[in-house]
Amino acid sequence: MTNSPTILVFDSGLGGLTVLREVVAGRPDAHYVYVADDAFFPYGHHSEDEIIARVVPLMGELIGRHRPDLVVIACNTASTLVLSHLRAAYSVAFVGTVPAIKPACAQSRTRRVSVLGTKGTVKREYTKALIRDFAQGCEVTLVGSPELASLAEAALGGIPISDEAILAELAPCFVGDASDASARTDTVVLACTHYPLLLDRMKKLAPWPVDWIDPAPAIARRVSELLGPPTGGIAQSGAEMFFTSNRVHGLSATLTPFFGGRAVA
């Protein structure tokens, strides 16, 4: 491991920035490369076989180009499908993003938990296995949102998004008697890294207060464990962002906070 490790963060779009933000906070000594596979966004519109066939060779190209010490797959859809294939194909360390069902069910007091994800993520066998293994007697409601990831991308780009559009995606998460705090959903798992981009608005629009479970802090802790103790100070360079469509990001001021204040090349 060099004094300044290189961490590659990969997502279908801009949602992985919410994971990047936590990882950068935990490892300011690292150089960061963020890759958005926007040429294939959204992943939820493609079959499982298409996503595997897309991501595995693409990751090989990215590893060859950027030589990362560790790769974060900051996408639930890709992680639940492709992570095992990537680990079999490449020797670099991978950290994935999967629905945080175990901690959500462990902390729920009403035993009613909702998992808000893309349609692909919530129907996947991987997610159902997590429920079987870790629900701990909770009633788990799976909510497949068709548009929330795209709404989050648009909002980050400065496009106005109505409250009604967000609430339409969010409402099915809230199950039970609204007037009885002991008999309604009290925990919502954010099973898509795009969703924390809209979290402040979702909190305001929610019909009652719930705990929102974002896996990003746990991912950041895992990254730091795998890299070992920091050996250098804050890395001032190495913040790069690439789109597979080869477009220029044009979001410098918006992106800087996600990269820990670094200018993004």
Side-chain angles (χ1 to χ4, degrees):
M1 191 68 62
T2 63
N3 285 345
S4 294
T6 296
I7 299 174
L8 190 151
V9 179
F10 177 86
D11 183 33
S12 60
L14 299 178
L17 291 170
T18 64
V19 175
L20 173 78
R21 178 172 52 199
E22 294 293 332
V23 176
V24 170
R27 294 306 300 247
D29 59 312
H31 296 273
Y32 287 91
V33 178
Y34 186 95
V35 178
D37 187 17
D38 65 324
F40 215 59
F41 179 84
Y43 279 6
H45 290 180
H46 301 282
S47 72
E48 296 185 1
D49 288 343
E50 287 172 337
I51 294 170
I52 294 168
R54 166 74 176 183
V55 174
V56 175
L58 174 59
M59 187 56 60
E61 295 173 14
L62 295 173
I63 291 170
R65 185 181 312 153
H66 300 291
R67 301 294 178 186
D69 296 286
L70 183 145
V71 177
V72 178
I73 306 298
C75 173
N76 284 265
T77 298
S79 294
T80 55
L81 277 178
V82 187
L83 206 52
S84 61
H85 298 275
L86 294 175
R87 286 172 172 153
Y90 309 113
S91 59
V92 66
F94 288 93
V95 176
T97 307
V98 298
I101 291 167
K102 182 178 181 180
C105 291
Q107 75 172 48
S108 174
R109 299 169 299 281
T110 66
R111 319 306 292 158
R112 290 193 175 189
V113 172
S114 291
V115 178
L116 177 63
T118 65
K119 286 190 170 184
T121 294
V122 300
K123 74 179 182 181
R124 198 144 290 131
E125 177 56 32
Y126 190 107
T127 303
K128 295 174 182 177
L130 289 175
I131 294 171
R132 288 195 300 270
D133 292 342
F134 300 118
Q136 305 177 43
C138 285
E139 176 187 317
V140 179
T141 301
L142 293 172
V143 179
S145 167
E147 299 297 337
L148 199 56
S150 294
L151 293 175
E153 290 256 333
L156 188 64
I159 298 172
I161 303 298
S162 71
D163 287 349
E164 290 77 15
I166 296 172
L167 186 57
E169 306 294 304
L170 190 63
C173 293
F174 291 82
V175 178
D177 186 348
S179 64
D180 184 356
S182 67
R184 66 192 189 193
T185 302
D186 72 347
T187 307
V188 176
V189 176
L190 299 175
C192 173
T193 56
H194 281 79
Y195 299 168
L197 294 171
L198 294 172
L199 184 55
D200 288 345
R201 292 186 66 183
M202 291 195 291
K203 287 178 177 178
K204 292 177 182 177
L205 293 170
W208 59 76
V210 296
D211 292 327
W212 305 86
I213 306 298
D214 178 1
I219 294 167
R221 289 192 295 272
R222 180 59 178 156
V223 167
S224 199
E225 288 172 4
L226 289 173
L227 288 177
T231 55
I234 297 174
Q236 297 300 321
S237 61
E240 301 174 88
M241 185 168 188
F242 300 95
F243 290 91
T244 56
S245 67
N246 293 321
R247 69 183 173 98
V248 177
H249 59 71
L251 295 169
S252 293
T254 303
L255 295 173
T256 299
F258 293 101
F259 284 86
R262 298 171 176 86
V264 184

